[in-house]
Structures are given as C-alpha cells and as structure tokens.
C-alpha cells in the first residue's frame, strides 16, 4: 500500500459518483460502438483510397467515426502526434485541408499552403498536397508551441505496434487500433487533467481521452491497459500523483464494461478480447514519463478494488530514456510480464 492509496480510492469513488449522476454517457457510448461496427466497411474502403506518407500518421478519433457516412469519411493527419491536416474521402475523390494554425510553428512551412483559404480543400494529388507531404517527409522540428507529450505518444505507439522483439523496447504489448487502419484514442466523459489537485468533473463528450489504450501481458494474463503519458518528471507532478489521471480513466472503462445498457460485450470485443468479460476484471493502469529525479516505484503492482465489485486496477509505471527528444529505451518498468 502506498502513501496515496486513500487518494487513489477517492478518485475511483468520485468518478463512480459522477457516472452514476450523469447517465447520458450510457446511450452515447452504445451509439459509439454501434457506429464503429456499422461503419467499418465504409471506413476501410475510404482508407484504401489514399496511400501512407512518410512521417504522417492517420488517426481516427471517435468524433470522425460518428461523422462518417457513405458520402464522406474523415481522417486526422498527424505529424509526431500533432494534427497538421484533415483528409476527406468522397465519391469525387480524396482531398486534404491543412491545419495552418498548428503548422505555422514549423520552420519554412511552404508559403503556398498558408495562402489557401481556411476551409478550402485540395485534391490529395494536387501540387499543394504533394508539397505538404514532401515537407513533412523531411522531419522538420517544431520551433515553438511544441507539445512533447504528443510526440512521445506517437513514438511509443510506433514502438508498441512492432511484432518482433529485436528492436521493441517493451514486449507483450499492442495498442488498440480502430479497424486496424488508424491510431485511436478512447474518449471518456471525465475531465481529469487536474485530478492531482483534487479537481475532477463530468464533461459529456468533452472529457479527456486515454493517451494510449492497449492490451498487455501473456496468454490468459493479457489485460486491458490504460497509459497516461507525461513529457516531464516534475516535483510538482511526480508519477505517484500523475497516475491519478490514468486511474480516473480506467475507472470509467471498468464502469463501461459493467453497464449492460452500454453494450459492454461489444466494447470488450472491440478492445481485442475473445469470449465474455471475465468475472474478475483487471485493468492495468500505467503512468509513463521520462526517467528523472522524481521517479517513484512505491505504487507498482498495487491493486485498487472498485467499490462493490471484484474488479481492480493494477498500478504500473514506465520510465524511458530520452536523447534530443527521441525515446531511446525503456529505462525501468513494472510491466515485465
């Protein structure tokens, strides 16, 4: 038991109370999983209509899944985790809209792309789109306004997706993807970015998203895994406090998987598991951050039991080494099975 066990329990209790007092999320998440199932063929077909580009990743936020229809599908284009464009697939072809408000921080960003009207789309094979892809293929560094958390998230996702152990930093882990076609961030109705300060709230569809949702472990020991990522190890936000955000999101997932009206078995299948949800559910709950002076391991493998259930959250840490903003290795982790 760590010194913060009671605070962790308070977070779980508060999240449970928020969810019980705001039931609108139940039908909304049932609609989310229904949209994933019914629109899967539309999205897969749309994704096949444009090629991958060097250094550019395709994300499928839940909001874009819900918007997708037989006429238009949407994809988020990100560079090092930061949104830099949006792809539209229509019957007339593939086009892209450039996120110039984000892209202005990249050095020598092509002037031709700044001159495009805010809501003007360009054909995927146009001169402008080719210029856009070539620019990001050169791996430009963001001058200011850089969000390292997004960058680290992108790096870890690529690492976790590897299937061979030769150059994989952390074994026995695979991120959950949406239809195997794009990165996916599981949304929650909980706003928990300041939970370490005792502030947590219910935010409907504006709640925070899980940084990385994965399956981790071996054989029957594979668990749903919630990873909260930080770009620094700070005295003001050490890992034993930062993990509270992951605890809040993991508590929501447990509630989702135990609420019959929210189609829990369909969510369980979407998360990549076969069979029924186990009678005793364990969700690994992880804080990931660079190795630093304030790294703590006292909470590792602590089990927090969800009130009135046999389910628990199992706490873990991942500390990684960084050189020139590049993750070079996992320095220490309790996820060793």
């Amino acid at each position: 038991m760590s010194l913060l066990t009671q605070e962790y329990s308070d977070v779980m209790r508060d999240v449970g109370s928020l969810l019980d007092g705001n039931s609108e999320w139940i039908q909304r998440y049932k609609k989310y999983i229904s949209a994933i199932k019914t629109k899967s063929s539309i999205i897969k077909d749309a994704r096949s209509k444009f090629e991958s580009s060097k250094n550019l990743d395709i994300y499928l936020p839940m909001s874009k899944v819900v918007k997708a229809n037989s006429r238009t599908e949407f994809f988020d284009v990100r560079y090092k985790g930061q949104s830099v464009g949006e792809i539209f697939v229509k019957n007339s072809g593939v086009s892209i809209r450039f996120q110039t408000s984000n892209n202005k921080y990249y050095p020598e960003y092509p002037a031709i792309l700044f001159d495009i009207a805010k809501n003007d789309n360009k054909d995927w094979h146009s001169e402008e789109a080719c210029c856009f892809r070539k620019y990001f293929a050169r791996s430009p560094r963001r001058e200011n306004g850089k969000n390292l958390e997004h960058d680290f998230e992108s790096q870890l996702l690529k690492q976790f997706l590897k299937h061979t152990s030769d150059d994989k930093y952390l074994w026995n882990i695979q991120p959950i993807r949406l239809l195997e076609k794009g990165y996916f961030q599981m949304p929650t109705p909980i706003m928990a970015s300041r939970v370490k300060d005792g502030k947590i709230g219910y935010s409907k569809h504006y709640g925070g998203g899980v940084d990385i949702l994965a399956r981790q472990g071996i054989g029957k020991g594979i668990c749903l895994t919630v990873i909260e990522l930080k770009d620094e190890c700070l005295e003001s936000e050490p890992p034993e406090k930062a993990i509270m955000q992951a605890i809040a999101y993991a508590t929501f997932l447990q509630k989702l998987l135990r609420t019959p009206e929210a189609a829990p078995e369909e969510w369980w299948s979407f998360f990549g598991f076969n069979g029924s949800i186990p009678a005793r559910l364990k969700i690994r709950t992880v804080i990931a951050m660079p190795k630093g002076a304030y790294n703590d391991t006292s909470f590792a493998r602590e089990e927090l039991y969800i009130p009135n259930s046999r389910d628990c959250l199992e706490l873990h840490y991942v500390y990684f080494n960084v050189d020139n903003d590049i993750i070079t290795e996992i320095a220490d982790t309790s996820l060793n099975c």
Side-chain angles (χ1 to χ4, degrees), residues 224-226 250 253-254 257 281-285 312-314:
L224 187 65
T225 302
V226 173
L253 287 176
Q254 184 273 344
L257 293 171
L281 179 65
K282 178 189 290 184
I283 300 177
R284 293 201 170 111
T285 307
C312 74
L313 310 184
E314 185 180 82

Side-chain angles (χ1 to χ4, degrees), residues 82-102:
Q82 181 73 46
S83 181
V84 292
E86 184 178 28
I87 288 177
F88 300 78
V89 180
K90 301 182 179 181
N91 292 334
S92 58
V94 181
S95 59
I96 183 169
R97 178 183 299 162
F98 309 109
Q99 299 280 19
T100 52
S101 60
N102 288 337

